[in-house]
Amino acid sequence: MNKHLAIFGLLWICFSVKAQIKTSFPAEITEKAYAVIQSNEIDFICESATNALKKESYTVTVLDEKGKEAAHFLCMCDQFSSLNKFSGEVYDRAGNLIRKIKKSELKMSEYSSGLTTDDYMYFFECNIGQYPYTVKYEWEIKYKNGLISFPPFVPQSRFNLSVVEANYRLHVPAEVTYRTKILNSGNKFQSKTTPKGATYSEISFKNLKAIEKELYGAPLEALIPIVYLGPDNFIFDGSQGDMSSWKSYGNWQYGLLKDRDILPPELKEKIHQLTSGCNSEKEKVKVLYDYLAANTRYVSIQLGIGGLQPTPATNVYKTGFGDCKALSNYLKAMLQEVGINSNYTVISTDRVKLLKDFASVGQMNHVILQVPLKEETLWLECTNAQLPLGYIHSDIAGHDAILIKENGGELCTLPSYPDSVNTQIRTAQITLDNNGKAHIQTTQKCDLFQYEHLSAITHMQPDEQKDLLRSQIRLTQASVNNISIQESKRANPQIDVQFQTECQQFGNKTGNRLFIPANLFRNYFTVPKQEKRTSDIYIKYGYADTDSVLITLPEGFVLEAMPKPTSVSCRFGSFESSIENKGTQICVRQRLFLKKGKFPANTYEEFANFAQTISDLYGGRIVLKKE
């Protein structure tokens, strides 16, 4: 491949643009920016199907304290990549060189003991303290023994970061064919072909304005240009595969599972003993799922073929631990032993949608197990088998996934739950004395996603449980006691928590009046006003909160004033609030229903007004007067 490298070397000289150290920028570049990338130049030189070299330079000016992280250097490496060369330079506000950074100054870090991994990183924290300052890095990464993908190009990698110029140049020999996918931009690659068939492609971005993060705004990856690249056919750690489609990717991934499902004889015997009394396939799945929960623990393992192949089932049995791949494969093997088919399933806990027309391993970060029974299909989270059987947790519900089958990969979408069933129902009975002291008996029931957020309480120590429940009460002086927890681990799980609260100052007494909160649980919904909304409104998941509070008045007090009944309905959901006077008791009922979804940016004012109405009513006060 030396002849290709010679050609690429000439192209590097012809097309590479040397980063200039600037000290000032146009107003449109600094607007909303904490840092400015002056230049980012990447040359990715694919030497063969297994080897490559990436040359990169990066020059950034940090404008203020909030932008200092953009000046830090971070380079991830593993058994397939290594940092060959590195240099750094730091310039003051006038553009004068004030220091150089050597490779020996980089810190090297492996992951914590909770992980077993081949990955490691080099990093350097560049903190000057006098703004603005500029940092320029140049480095090379050598790739060997496999290229399952090419490095993606993300020129604008954080909020409040603007870019003057960024260029990515791809050099590929004639025998390697590849694909590209460009998101959130109309820019395209400009390509040239050498007489020998090698290709040189370049894509450029200029004057990318800084994007400010907005509350309930779009995730950064939906707003910035992203370029994905990868070979059609690849060789990775000695394994050959085809990444031209999800189906062909699935064929390769399925091959990585071969002979990883072998179980020792004593475990096979145990499995048949455990399931001998079961009357249905679902019962067998439940028994083995519970066995997994009781006998394994999760440890992240990123070893071997890029962390893409599961540890053999026999190893998991012997050690009692594994990562998502290993534990899913382990349960798959146990189910197979009792004649139940299941599918190893790759998914992302971050990305809801996968790119249908661009297969790549980098889009997924997790593995679960699909069990297609006759009566229903189960989706099992094997890294946390404490979750109820069949419950699809909030990090994967509604997400795209790839089923790994014998005949290839199959794109599918996991079910999700209607917003209306993610419920939290609180009831409270409050008995007041005439000094504002209160005794409160509370019951809190949570379903599905709201169950998920509260279920950790079952594993907490008593003091931790008290602290958690106390944090949910809008009272400054309160003690929590007599906690009772009931957890229902059905497919639509529920948790029921009861507790008592003693509060020395439930209300504020002024003269012969007592001012008390209408709702002691809520002090939100807050959405600040914005003069100009840029991105659409994203509400990650919907839910319904219902609060019912019965307040028994202290002797000698009567109701003087209370918030009026209110009902609000809009595209984002609805809110109802009612307060009734029942002689010696006051009944408060408030219900918020929020819808999941994406809403146009021009509806933000409506959203803010809706939230303000809710916040005002949640913060409402009741006035009691002494007779």
Side-chain angles (χ1 to χ4, degrees):
M1 297 306 298
N2 289 337
K3 56 186 178 182
H4 294 309
L5 286 176
I7 293 171
F8 293 148
L10 289 173
L11 290 171
W12 167 265
I13 294 171
C14 293
F15 292 95
S16 179
V17 180
K18 183 175 178 61
Q20 300 297 314
I21 304 305
K22 299 179 182 179
T23 57
S24 63
F25 305 93
E28 60 268 21
I29 287 295
T30 57
E31 184 182 2
K32 300 180 181 179
Y34 302 154
V36 177
I37 294 177
Q38 295 191 26
S39 175
N40 185 200
E41 304 291 327
I42 299 176
D43 270 64
F44 186 74
I45 304 166
C46 177
E47 301 167 350
S48 67
T50 58
N51 297 332
L53 179 68
K54 185 174 82 164
K55 298 181 179 182
E56 183 164 2
S57 68
Y58 174 82
T59 304
V60 61
T61 298
V62 180
L63 301 178
D64 56 39
E65 177 75 15
K66 295 178 181 178
K68 65 181 183 180
E69 289 188 1
H72 300 337
F73 177 79
L74 176 65
C75 176
M76 300 297 301
C77 298
D78 54 28
Q79 64 170 324
F80 304 101
S81 60
S82 59
L83 180 65
N84 278 8
K85 296 180 180 179
F86 169 85
S87 66
E89 297 173 342
V90 184
Y91 299 82
D92 64 15
R93 66 173 60 209
N96 300 313
L97 178 65
I98 57 177
R99 69 158 297 187
K100 292 189 175 183
I101 307 167
K102 299 178 181 179
K103 185 179 179 182
S104 58
E105 295 181 72
L106 299 180
K107 295 180 180 179
M108 181 178 172
S109 174
E110 297 180 349
Y111 288 95
S112 68
S113 58
L115 303 174
T116 304
T117 178
D118 290 321
D119 296 347
Y120 59 96
M121 66 178 176
Y122 290 99
F123 65 94
F124 180 83
E125 293 186 2
C126 185
N127 296 310
I128 302 303
Q130 296 181 349
Y131 303 96
Y133 65 89
T134 300
V135 185
K136 178 182 178 181
Y137 298 113
E138 292 184 337
W139 70 100
E140 292 184 5
I141 298 177
K142 180 68 176 176
Y143 296 85
K144 61 180 182 179
N145 200 27
L147 293 172
I148 198 169
S149 65
F150 299 156
F153 186 34
V154 187
Q156 196 171 16
S157 58
R158 61 182 70 231
F159 285 105
N160 301 104
L161 176 69
S162 58
V163 180
V164 176
E165 185 172 4
N167 299 289
Y168 188 108
R169 292 174 285 271
L170 177 65
H171 315 256
V172 179
E175 63 269 23
V176 175
T177 59
Y178 64 94
R179 302 157 295 126
T180 63
K181 179 73 174 179
I182 304 169
L183 302 180
N184 310 319
S185 175
N187 293 23
K188 296 181 180 180
F189 275 98
Q190 301 298 318
S191 300
K192 297 180 181 180
T193 304
T194 70
K196 299 293 186 180
T199 58
Y200 165 86
S201 299
E202 180 176 7
I203 188 168
S204 299
F205 296 92
K206 294 183 178 181
N207 300 323
L208 300 177
K209 296 180 180 179
I211 301 170
E212 192 156 35
K213 188 174 184 178
E214 296 179 307
L215 188 65
Y216 290 98
L220 181 63
E221 57 268 23
L223 303 173
I224 59 173
I226 301 176
V227 181
Y228 292 103
L229 314 94
D232 292 324
N233 299 290
F234 63 88
I235 301 173
F236 193 58
D237 200 17
S239 174
Q240 296 186 26
D242 179 353
M243 197 68 74
S244 59
S245 69
W246 287 119
K247 181 177 177 62
S248 60
Y249 156 75
N251 282 326
W252 176 75
Q253 181 69 71
Y254 186 84
L256 297 184
L257 304 179
K258 185 178 180 181
D259 298 330
R260 299 263 154 171
D261 57 355
I262 299 172
L263 300 175
E266 63 270 24
L267 178 56
K268 291 182 178 182
E269 183 179 351
K270 178 71 173 178
I271 289 170
H272 288 289
Q273 289 176 353
L274 290 170
T275 58
S276 60
C278 296
N279 297 316
S280 68
E281 286 191 333
K282 187 173 181 178
E283 284 186 33
K284 292 180 180 180
V285 175
K286 176 69 166 63
V287 167
L288 296 180
Y289 184 69
D290 290 344
Y291 176 82
L292 181 77
N295 293 277
T296 62
R297 61 186 177 90
Y298 171 77
V299 174
S300 180
I301 301 172
Q302 305 296 327
L303 296 174
I305 187 165
L308 297 170
Q309 187 175 49
T311 302
T314 300
N315 290 21
V316 178
Y317 172 68
K318 290 178 180 178
T319 63
F321 64 80
D323 64 0
C324 60
K325 303 183 297 294
L327 297 178
S328 297
N329 181 66
Y330 184 48
L331 182 56
K332 175 178 170 62
M334 289 193 290
L335 291 172
Q336 184 175 293
E337 180 63 25
V338 293
I340 298 175
N341 179 56
S342 61
N343 294 307
Y344 187 90
T345 304
V346 291
I347 194 170
S348 173
T349 55
D350 302 319
R351 183 192 296 264
V352 176
K353 295 297 180 182
L354 301 178
L355 300 175
K356 295 182 179 180
D357 58 349
F358 189 89
S360 67
V361 295
Q363 295 181 57
M364 298 84 67
N365 63 357
H366 192 46
V367 174
I368 59 174
L369 196 65
Q370 184 216 46
V371 186
L373 303 177
K374 291 181 180 179
E375 62 274 16
E376 63 180 312
T377 296
L378 300 175
W379 304 90
L380 304 184
E381 176 55 81
C382 299
T383 61
N384 184 9
Q386 300 295 335
L387 289 172
L389 181 76
Y391 170 64
I392 305 172
H393 62 84
S394 59
D395 283 341
I396 58 174
H399 286 211
D400 285 348
I402 307 296
L403 302 176
I404 307 303
K405 297 184 174 182
E406 186 175 5
N407 60 350
E410 181 181 313
L411 182 67
C412 68
T413 301
L414 271 65
S416 190
Y417 303 101
D419 299 335
S420 58
V421 299
N422 296 318
T423 60
Q424 181 186 78
I425 300 174
R426 281 195 180 116
T427 59
Q429 295 181 347
I430 303 172
T431 303
L432 289 173
D433 70 12
N434 53 19
N435 292 315
K437 182 179 179 180
H439 172 80
I440 307 167
Q441 180 67 44
T442 302
T443 298
Q444 180 174 326
K445 293 182 179 181
C446 297
D447 289 82
L448 296 165
F449 290 172
Q450 304 232 45
Y451 152 85
E452 185 181 330
H453 296 157
L454 186 60
S455 62
I457 196 172
T458 60
H459 306 292
M460 292 180 178
Q461 296 299 316
D463 286 345
E464 294 175 321
Q465 293 176 339
K466 291 179 180 180
D467 289 342
L468 175 61
L469 295 173
R470 190 183 295 112
S471 70
Q472 298 178 353
I473 302 172
R474 191 159 55 94
L475 298 172
T476 55
Q477 299 177 0
S479 61
V480 175
N481 297 289
N482 299 328
I483 300 172
S484 173
I485 301 172
Q486 291 185 335
E487 185 180 16
S488 177
K489 286 194 172 185
R490 59 196 183 201
N492 294 338
Q494 182 184 85
I495 189 167
D496 186 335
V497 180
Q498 298 182 26
F499 59 96
Q500 293 179 356
T501 305
E502 299 291 337
C503 179
Q504 297 299 318
Q505 190 177 359
F506 182 79
N508 297 319
K509 190 175 182 183
T510 303
N512 63 347
R513 286 179 174 82
L514 189 61
F515 298 82
I516 61 175
N519 191 326
L520 72 158
F521 300 115
R522 315 285 181 183
N523 59 355
Y524 68 98
F525 192 63
T526 302
V527 176
K529 299 282 186 178
Q530 280 184 241
E531 291 185 7
K532 184 179 180 181
R533 176 73 178 192
T534 303
S535 70
D536 291 336
I537 302 163
Y538 283 73
I539 300 177
K540 186 175 181 181
Y541 74 89
Y543 57 86
D545 288 345
T546 302
D547 301 313
S548 298
V549 181
L550 185 64
I551 304 171
T552 300
L553 276 56
E555 186 175 351
F557 279 78
V558 295
L559 175 67
E560 182 180 59
M562 63 182 182
K564 295 180 180 180
T566 303
S567 179
V568 180
S569 181
C570 64
R571 73 185 76 207
F572 304 101
S574 60
F575 185 77
E576 298 173 359
S577 177
S578 65
I579 302 178
E580 296 181 62
N581 181 10
K582 297 184 176 181
T584 60
Q585 292 183 319
I586 298 172
C587 182
V588 180
R589 178 178 170 82
Q590 295 180 322
R591 182 181 186 273
L592 167 63
F593 172 52
L594 189 68
K595 296 179 182 178
K596 173 184 177 180
K598 175 183 173 183
F599 304 90
N602 61 10
T603 64
Y604 184 81
E605 185 176 356
E606 180 185 351
F607 183 47
N609 291 337
F610 177 58
Q612 187 61 55
T613 299
I614 296 167
S615 183
D616 291 344
L617 290 167
Y618 273 153
R621 301 186 75 79
I622 297 170
V623 183
L624 306 180
K625 183 178 180 181
K626 190 171 183 179
E627 292 180 296

